[in-house]
Amino acid sequence: MSDDAPRLQQPPTTPSLWKELVPASFLISLRSAVSEHVEPVAEQTDREDVYPVRAIKELARLGYTSLTLDPAVGGAGANSRRALALFEEVSYASAAVGISLITIFQAQTLIKTFGSTELRDAVLPRFREGLLTSYALTEAKHGSDIRHLDTTATRFDGGWELNGRKSFITSGSAAEAFVILAESPAGISTFYVQADCPGVSTEKTTNAATFGLRNGPHVDLKLDRVRVPSQYLIGEDGRGIRQALTTLDHSRTMAAGISLGIARAAFEGALRFARTRIAFDQSVVAFQGIEWYFAQMVTAIDSARLLAYSSADCLDDHIDIDRHSSEAKLFGSEVATDVAARCVQICGAYGVMESAPFGRYLRDAKAYEIAGGSSEILKNTIAKSLHRQRLTGETE
Ligand SMILES: Cc1cc2nc3c(=O)[nH]c(=O)nc-3n(C[C@H](O)[C@H](O)[C@H](O)COP(=O)(O)OP(=O)(O)OC[C@H]3O[C@@H](n4cnc5c(N)ncnc54)[C@H](O)[C@@H]3O)c2cc1C
């Protein structure tokens, strides 16, 4: 074992792998921003369940919240690999900050992909200034199945009136604007709604606190005769489900990055502990039973990372993305939960202490097997894509 120890000292993110995935210069600046602005607030954000406003505003100031937007609207025009690296690195320090970014990216994806020129021009440049947004699909009676909703959208001359209540809204406690789904006469449609619009309010219900991914209470969003102008309908009336699927393809790829960050943080923390903890006159990591755990975990993390980066490439190349993003999130979230649980075990009593971060890793990892598309729904999506495909040799 002693000969092998120096090799184990490398982080699971092997430098050779990273060099091929994103430029080192990008990663170095990103890690420095994370250690300055995200790491210091990670523990408090989780413990107090507060939205990490300052961290997100600092990331916005440095251009990270508008990373993939077009330079014409103040973005950096970066590809999905860099966005994925952003999610992994931020979530290595705090998955709560990671999901705060996800809800911003979801609103951007919807507006830049489907929004009218007027809406794009009015809203997209605001992300560079730190606009905070949420994406509200879920209702008390409609979670995985959003084909029918109780929130309604009815036309009036010059716009739309929205009525209803959305539940479990990540970042909703701080959002300055929401993108919501509502049922209109043509079907499910998507709307942009500013938080300061008359009739918009949020409520912290008894269900608002989650045990993981705590970036402030997951509030209910109440829409009481909210009137928005016509251009706040995003894309075509009745196309909300298709738009949601496209948006989730993006955010599920980034969610895989969040899970990777959690897994890597747990792995490295446990490795540091196991190297220094002595039992039976040797370091804990030197027991074969323990080093095999690390070997298995690093293999799973590297595999999850390759799947996630392949999904990022598919996003940019528009290849079978529903399948690849679902695979990346399904595998990544399960790896993160397994790794976090294993790391608690490796660290013994230290692993279960509230002062140690492993409980947070485990809670965040598990919550991401449900949020943003549960593992069961992802398996349905992957299976559907297999049914679409013909096997070699099959004919029409
Ligand atoms: C931390 C967190 C953050 C969230 N943030 C947001 C947010 O920002 N915006 C938002 O709109 N929503 C948000 N949600 C809600 C989330 O999207 C839903 O919880 C999720 O879609 C699952 O819906 P549900 O909880 O109603 O479960 P249900 O849909 O009631 O499902 C219950 C169980 O049945 C399974 N199931 C359902 N349908 C099928 C099927 N067809 N095949 C097999 N199994 C199935 C599910 O996988 C689950 O295990 C968040 C949830 C969490 C936990």
Side-chain angles (χ1 to χ4, degrees):
M1 176 59 219
S2 57
D3 288 350
D4 289 338
R7 272 191 281 132
L8 270 175
Q9 278 173 18
Q10 283 194 349
T13 310
T14 61
S16 58
L17 190 56
W18 268 118
K19 265 184 206 155
E20 290 163 26
L21 296 173
V22 283
S25 57
F26 176 77
L27 208 54
I28 288 164
S29 311
L30 177 55
R31 283 186 174 169
S32 147
V34 167
S35 84
E36 189 176 350
H37 303 296
V38 182
E39 249 169 52
V41 300
E43 198 272 328
Q44 186 204 5
T45 301
D46 174 69
R47 180 170 29 83
E48 295 178 6
D49 197 10
V50 286
Y51 186 88
V53 182
R54 250 182 84 186
I56 294 294
K57 295 282 182 183
E58 284 300 327
L59 291 174
R61 188 181 57 78
L62 295 167
Y64 289 114
T65 64
S66 47
L67 189 65
T68 52
L69 287 178
D70 202 275
V73 292
N79 63 15
S80 296
R81 283 187 177 204
R82 289 190 188 207
L84 185 59
L86 168 68
F87 280 93
E88 176 176 344
E89 292 304 321
V90 162
S91 306
Y92 173 82
S94 165
V97 175
I99 58 154
S100 306
L101 289 178
I102 280 266
T103 61
I104 290 170
F105 275 60
Q106 283 173 325
Q108 289 175 3
T109 303
L110 278 156
I111 295 167
K112 75 179 178 189
T113 314
F114 303 107
S116 62
T117 310
E118 266 172 309
L119 188 67
R120 289 202 309 264
D121 290 350
V123 179
L124 292 179
R126 294 185 58 205
F127 285 105
R128 184 68 181 85
E129 295 154 18
L131 179 68
L132 309 178
T133 54
S134 281
Y135 187 27
L137 306 89
T138 303
E139 296 178 0
K141 291 192 202 149
H142 309 281
S144 305
D145 184 1
I146 49 167
R147 293 168 307 163
H148 302 286
L149 296 173
D150 295 328
T151 299
T152 58
T154 47
R155 255 187 213 281
F156 68 89
D157 195 15
W160 293 86
E161 182 175 297
L162 309 171
N163 282 288
R165 188 181 185 111
K166 314 299 284 185
S167 294
F168 246 143
I169 307 309
T170 302
S171 311
S173 62
E176 294 153 330
F178 297 86
V179 173
I180 68 134
L181 284 190
E183 187 143 349
S184 69
I188 302 297
S189 304
T190 315
F191 297 88
Y192 178 76
V193 181
Q194 299 207 149
D196 60 3
C197 184
V200 176
S201 61
T202 57
E203 185 182 341
K204 184 180 165 186
T205 70
T206 46
N207 298 328
T210 50
F211 71 57
L213 298 175
R214 288 158 60 84
N215 73 332
H218 296 265
V219 292
D220 276 19
L221 169 67
K222 295 197 289 184
L223 303 158
D224 181 16
R225 284 174 289 166
V226 173
R227 293 195 149 203
V228 295
S230 300
Q231 67 271 23
Y232 280 24
L233 166 72
I234 299 181
E236 276 177 56
D237 185 13
R239 298 290 291 164
I241 296 292
R242 188 62 252 160
Q243 295 165 347
L245 295 176
T246 302
T247 305
L248 292 170
D249 287 344
H250 280 76
S251 59
R252 285 171 182 167
T253 305
M254 301 310 147
I258 292 184
S259 295
L260 271 170
I262 300 169
R264 202 178 101 215
F267 178 96
E268 290 183 15
L271 188 54
R272 266 192 301 275
F273 175 87
R275 281 210 195 105
T276 53
R277 180 74 182 173
I278 304 295
F280 299 95
D281 307 320
Q282 62 176 47
S283 94
V284 162
V285 78
F287 294 114
Q288 189 174 62
I290 300 292
E291 69 177 352
W292 280 15
Y293 284 152
F294 282 110
Q296 237 174 332
M297 288 192 292
V298 80
T299 305
I301 293 169
D302 280 346
S303 308
R305 182 173 295 105
L306 289 173
L307 204 50
Y309 274 88
S310 143
S311 180
D313 288 347
C314 289
L315 260 185
D316 290 346
D317 298 338
H318 307 285
I319 300 169
D320 212 2
I321 182 58
D322 49 348
R323 170 179 156 194
H324 293 290
S325 61
S326 299
E327 285 183 26
K329 181 178 186 289
L330 173 67
F331 189 64
S333 63
E334 292 186 353
V335 163
T337 304
D338 290 349
V339 166
R342 181 67 67 208
C343 289
V344 169
Q345 188 69 22
I346 290 168
C347 295
Y350 174 64
V352 292
M353 282 173 193
E354 275 202 1
S355 56
F358 298 98
R360 167 160 64 92
Y361 300 146
L362 184 53
R363 291 184 281 102
D364 286 342
K366 185 63 201 173
Y368 231 159
E369 289 186 48
I370 294 158
S374 68
S375 292
E376 291 76 18
I377 295 298
L378 300 177
K379 285 178 199 170
N380 290 348
T381 306
I382 296 164
K384 255 187 218 151
S385 115
L386 294 181
H387 296 320
R388 276 203 309 265
Q389 286 169 359
R390 300 196 166 277
L391 299 177
T392 313
E394 271 184 351
T395 51
E396 294 276 332

